[in-house]
Amino acid sequence: MKKLLLVISIINLLLFCSTVAVEAQSDAAERRYRAGIQLIREGNYEKAKQELAPLTERSGGGVVPYAYFYHALADFKLKNYTGTQLVIRQLLERFPDWEKRNDAYYLQAASYLERKEYDKGLESLSQIIEASASLKADIAKLESFHFSQITDVRYLKSLQRDFPNNRGLALALIDQIQKTSSDKADLELSDRLTNRFGIPAATVVRKTVIVEPDAPRDAANLPTERNRNRGYFNIGILFPFRVNELASTERARTNQYALDLYNGMKLAKTKLQSEGITVNLFAYDVDNDTTKMNEILNNPSFIQNDLLFGPLYAEPNRLATEFATQNRMVLVNPISTSGELIANQPMAFLAQPSLNQQALQTLNFAQSLGTGKKAAVYYGNNRKDSTLAATYLVELKRAGFQLIEAKKLVADTEIIKLTEINTPGHVFLACSNEAIGPKLLKTLSARKVAAPVIATASAFDFNKAPLSTFTRSELYLVSPDFVDNQRSEVEAFNNEYLEQRNLIPSVYAYQGYDMVLFFGRMMARNRGQLPGRSQLKSDGQTDYLISGFNYTTSNENQVVPIVKFEEGRFVIVNK
């Protein structure tokens, strides 16, 4: 048990006890509950269970679910993981809507992982929706510790196939492939996973590390003002280029997405030059390394940047954000959809729409259809799907919608309750499993449910699915990275990129191009600073490859393309 406590903060017992409002049904029950908690504090777990067990037999709520939870925690401390699982199962069956159910699923997952029942542990973790920041950190540590102990690449691949959207599992698989495998298929898999999750394998925790506080930067050595009248703008690119891994004769593997972003940015620089806007790109090789990040920030020349893109990792990004705020320097995160990165950070921007923004814009579109105030919501088997669905449910409630059904779809779409009679005004599907979208459409069609379906584009495989899948009259896809390859601007970019790089551009290349083009133009309008809110948008400009930008109300991009298949092509329907 000691090894586990080194890497996870299982539950902060003292804090938890102080914040729980115990609605005891009698003074005796409350005294017994308090006694059980005190015994857990003292490490007397068997006696704690004896005090708490009778409380679990009481009817009603109040103290009862907490008694279950701490009984399970006592079993966990005693390494009675079967007991933990049994008690948590009873808790969740009796109180499925308990306000602390995320903590229960976390404890259940920890007990499974301790017994190396990884599939069950992953299933428990997938039930956690809208976790707090501290619980998210604990989950990441829990996954990193246990998954890093799996050395069988074949077993990791099997788990990853079953839980394709779990970031911790993907990182562990990338790590083992890079350390042990020379098989081409494995290396290609590692490349795909790295590009998808945006984090190199170096971030996988392999051992317990005591992280000491970073030394404070020497502010006296950093100039506080930049020359705004020099006629050009400096852009710092803080990406994991991993220069030591590059080879001139082969395509880089684990960092290809970073190179694609940068290559797109270089083409945007040329475009801006044709408009009379001179920008200089300065590339900094920043991995998940706070020491290296501090070295860069301490370099006196770094202050001469006007705009920063990156870093892509949490701790270096935190340091860079502090620096940018202190020095009134714009910082843009290219790929994250987490609104937490810009919360209370006036100089930090998201190039991508956050999950909150995606939910809000999707609901705005659903309301524009005028199909009534009833909705059904379905979501896939990973945290991103469930988080998006949970956010959408909040927005539905705020807008006064009646919810007919909300359910997780893992494989079988026949479990939904919709019928021709019980039909909502629209159906929303948030899913990253490419097989679920077509299955849901088939089920709805068989039941003659004619409601509009709004789904994330990730719920479909556009390379394998027949076109007939998308010809349903009212199927709409939420596609933040949508690129219309039939547009002349996109065709011209593709040709130029292919000529220069001998590669077909990825979506990252499009993103890099658009970001530098937009923020470069915005900086040029106001002599090195961003203009006012009302001007922070790309309305009327058609040369962006994806869908443009809008920061008129917040520092996250409010442009969320929703597309529909019409006349042989996908078109944006919510401009």
Side-chain angles (χ1 to χ4, degrees):
M1 188 61 203
K2 183 177 180 181
K3 65 177 182 179
L4 181 60
L5 293 178
L6 288 172
V7 292
I8 65 171
S9 305
I10 181 65
I11 295 292
N12 190 329
L13 186 60
L14 296 179
L15 177 60
F16 195 78
C17 290
S18 66
T19 57
V20 169
V22 179
E23 301 173 1
Q25 297 172 2
S26 70
D27 291 341
E30 182 174 357
R31 284 196 299 272
R32 174 158 250 168
Y33 172 77
R34 299 292 182 187
I37 299 302
Q38 183 59 37
L39 288 167
I40 290 180
R41 288 194 187 115
E42 296 169 358
N44 194 341
Y45 305 123
E46 286 291 359
K47 194 168 182 180
K49 288 167 57 179
Q50 294 174 13
E51 290 290 339
L52 295 169
L55 298 178
T56 65
E57 299 172 1
R58 299 174 65 88
S59 60
V63 75
V64 178
Y66 294 99
Y68 270 110
F69 179 84
Y70 285 108
H71 189 292
L73 181 60
D75 275 322
F76 188 87
K77 297 283 190 178
L78 292 167
K79 300 185 180 181
N80 178 15
Y81 304 126
T82 300
T84 297
Q85 294 153 17
L86 176 62
V87 175
I88 291 293
R89 185 160 58 247
Q90 293 171 346
L91 162 61
L92 295 172
E93 286 176 353
R94 282 193 63 185
F95 303 97
D97 298 322
W98 186 43
E99 61 181 351
K100 295 293 183 179
R101 60 186 175 278
N102 280 349
D103 294 310
Y105 282 123
Y106 175 81
L107 182 57
Q108 183 183 59
S111 68
Y112 281 126
L113 294 178
E114 280 293 300
R115 298 181 62 180
K116 302 189 183 304
E117 295 180 77
Y118 299 108
D119 53 345
K120 294 181 179 179
L122 283 160
E123 180 60 32
S124 294
L125 290 173
S126 71
Q127 303 299 316
I128 297 176
I129 298 177
E130 292 188 303
S132 64
S134 60
L135 184 57
K136 288 178 182 177
D138 285 345
I139 290 170
K141 293 175 184 177
L142 179 72
E143 291 179 340
S144 181
F145 177 78
H146 285 285
F147 298 158
S148 65
Q149 297 182 59
I150 306 174
T151 58
D152 187 335
V153 171
R154 287 182 299 178
Y155 181 50
L156 275 171
K157 287 196 292 185
S158 174
L159 285 173
Q160 204 277 327
R161 282 193 294 270
D162 292 337
F163 299 91
N165 300 297
N166 183 282
R167 173 178 287 178
L169 191 60
L171 291 175
L173 177 54
I174 293 167
D175 187 46
Q176 284 301 318
I177 289 175
Q178 294 295 323
K179 288 195 300 186
T180 65
S181 179
S182 59
D183 180 76
K184 181 180 178 181
D186 283 349
L187 294 175
E188 289 176 349
L189 173 60
S190 172
D191 186 22
R192 290 196 301 272
L193 291 175
T194 302
N195 286 341
R196 177 179 179 185
F197 289 94
I199 302 176
T203 61
V204 177
V205 176
R206 300 189 181 93
K207 60 181 180 180
T208 304
V209 179
I210 303 299
V211 180
E212 298 181 2
D214 295 318
R217 295 190 293 277
D218 186 2
N221 292 330
L222 295 176
T224 58
E225 294 292 335
R226 295 186 298 285
N227 182 0
R228 300 285 190 183
N229 300 307
R230 44 185 193 222
Y232 60 87
F233 309 110
N234 294 332
I235 299 178
I237 315 297
L238 301 160
F239 289 170
F241 292 108
R242 305 180 119 189
V243 176
N244 59 327
E245 293 184 7
L246 299 181
S248 59
T249 59
E250 62 178 325
R251 181 181 172 94
R253 294 196 301 270
T254 61
N255 66 335
Q256 188 61 46
Y257 69 99
L259 298 176
D260 290 350
L261 280 165
Y262 185 59
N263 287 331
M265 290 175 165
K266 289 193 291 185
L267 288 180
K269 173 186 175 179
T270 302
K271 170 69 173 175
L272 288 173
Q273 189 68 53
S274 72
E275 300 175 5
I277 302 172
T278 300
V279 299
N280 300 312
L281 302 182
F282 295 94
Y284 301 87
D285 193 5
V286 179
D287 214 308
N288 192 21
D289 186 341
T290 55
T291 301
K292 180 66 177 292
M293 188 70 247
N294 272 315
E295 290 176 359
I296 292 171
L297 297 179
N298 276 318
N299 189 323
S301 65
F302 189 75
I303 192 67
Q304 295 303 319
N305 286 304
D306 302 284
L307 173 64
L308 303 177
F309 287 98
L312 306 185
Y313 303 100
E315 280 305 296
N317 185 272
R318 178 184 62 80
L319 295 173
T321 301
E322 291 175 358
F323 181 89
T325 300
Q326 177 184 347
N327 293 283
R328 302 297 298 169
M329 187 183 297
V330 175
L331 181 146
V332 182
N333 190 296
I335 59 179
S336 176
T337 58
S338 173
E340 295 177 0
L341 292 180
I342 60 172
N344 301 315
Q345 301 294 343
M347 303 307 293
F349 290 77
L350 295 184
Q352 304 298 314
S354 70
L355 294 181
N356 286 346
Q357 194 62 228
Q358 291 180 41
L360 179 61
Q361 297 299 333
T362 300
L363 182 57
N364 287 342
F365 175 74
Q367 290 179 298
S368 74
L369 296 176
T371 53
K373 288 278 192 173
K374 294 182 179 181
V377 177
Y378 305 104
Y379 54 95
N381 193 33
N382 71 63
R383 286 197 295 274
K384 182 178 180 180
D385 298 339
S386 58
T387 300
L388 178 56
T391 306
Y392 195 75
L393 289 169
V394 170
E395 296 298 333
L396 282 175
K397 183 177 180 181
R398 183 177 291 131
F401 273 72
Q402 176 186 346
L403 182 66
I404 292 181
E405 183 175 32
K407 186 168 292 185
K408 180 170 71 173
L409 302 180
V410 178
D412 182 13
T413 60
E414 293 293 332
I415 63 174
I416 68 173
K417 296 180 181 178
L418 301 186
T419 64
E420 183 178 8
I421 298 175
N422 185 30
T423 296
H426 76 276
V427 174
F428 177 63
L429 171 65
C431 187
S432 301
N433 183 341
E434 296 173 338
I436 293 297
K439 285 185 178 180
L440 180 61
L441 294 182
K442 185 177 180 180
T443 299
L444 293 175
S445 178
R447 298 187 185 182
K448 298 182 180 180
V449 176
V453 175
I454 308 174
T456 55
S458 55
F460 297 86
D461 186 337
F462 292 86
N463 295 320
K464 295 181 180 179
L467 287 180
S468 58
T469 302
F470 306 105
T471 55
R472 176 187 171 109
S473 60
E474 292 191 275
L475 171 64
Y476 305 95
L477 302 178
V478 182
S479 182
D481 296 327
F482 174 70
V483 176
D484 184 355
N485 283 292
Q486 296 187 36
R487 290 176 53 221
S488 59
E489 295 86 358
V490 177
E491 290 180 354
F493 178 88
N494 290 346
N495 292 334
E496 186 174 4
Y497 194 93
L498 184 61
E499 180 180 347
Q500 290 192 13
R501 309 301 308 173
N502 198 30
L503 292 170
I504 297 174
S506 70
V507 69
Y508 295 110
Y510 299 134
Q511 290 171 348
Y513 179 85
D514 279 4
M515 288 186 297
V516 168
L517 201 60
F518 175 77
F519 283 97
R521 286 169 172 170
M522 293 297 104
M523 300 283 283
R525 284 185 186 178
N526 208 33
R527 296 174 59 187
Q529 300 182 34
L530 291 182
R533 282 282 179 197
S534 62
Q535 300 180 58
L536 277 177
K537 56 184 178 179
S538 56
D539 285 359
Q541 294 171 300
T542 61
D543 53 353
Y544 293 102
L545 304 178
I546 302 183
S547 300
F549 302 88
N550 185 344
Y551 297 100
T552 54
T553 61
S554 73
N555 285 20
E556 56 181 316
N557 191 2
Q558 288 122 57
V559 177
V560 181
I562 298 177
V563 301
K564 188 177 188 299
F565 194 73
E566 293 181 348
E567 298 180 355
R569 62 185 292 194
F570 285 99
V571 296
I572 298 176
V573 293
N574 67 327
K575 293 183 180 180

